[in-house]
Amino acid sequence: MVTIIKFVLWVLLLYYGFRLLGQLLFKGAISRLQKAAEEQYRRQSGYEPERPVGDIRIEKNGSQQQHSGSKNTTVAEQGEYVDYEEVK
């Protein structure tokens, strides 16, 4: 009778042990796969992180970058002034 109880306890211990170990390994593997997929998506889509509200960034295209090093730039090379209205 004691042998049967020991056998059942060992079976239950192994069952729950493998189940717990499987969950931990599965979560880790899924997490790594998810991070890899996110990174691949960012590289393919040209993802840019979200900037805070009010942050201003000026991007220069190729022709303006060539002239940015010279000190004798004309108004046409610098760009034009754009007037704006404040929206409330």
Side-chain angles (χ1 to χ4, degrees), residues 11 18 23 34 40 45 57 66 68 71 74 77 81-82 86 88:
V11 168
F18 282 123
Q23 285 180 349
Q34 181 181 6
Q40 181 181 9
S45 67
R57 185 175 73 187
Q66 293 172 353
S68 65
K71 296 188 184 246
T74 63
E77 291 173 343
Y81 176 77
V82 178
E86 187 173 332
K88 294 183 180 182

Side-chain angles (χ1 to χ4, degrees), residues 64 74-81:
Q64 289 177 344
T74 63
V75 175
E77 291 173 343
Q78 293 176 0
E80 63 182 88
Y81 176 77

Side-chain angles (χ1 to χ4, degrees), residues 20-76:
L20 178 65
L21 184 64
Q23 285 180 349
L24 293 175
L25 293 176
F26 186 70
K27 284 182 183 179
I30 293 297
S31 175
R32 277 186 262 123
L33 287 174
Q34 181 181 6
K35 287 179 183 178
E38 286 176 1
E39 193 64 35
Q40 181 181 9
Y41 173 76
R42 286 186 185 125
R43 277 188 267 125
Q44 287 180 351
S45 67
Y47 170 79
E48 293 183 19
E50 199 172 298
R51 296 189 319 253
V53 176
D55 184 30
I56 299 173
R57 185 175 73 187
I58 300 173
E59 296 178 358
K60 296 182 178 182
N61 59 14
S63 64
Q64 289 177 344
Q65 286 178 352
Q66 293 172 353
H67 297 292
S68 65
S70 65
K71 296 188 184 246
N72 299 331
T73 57
T74 63
V75 175

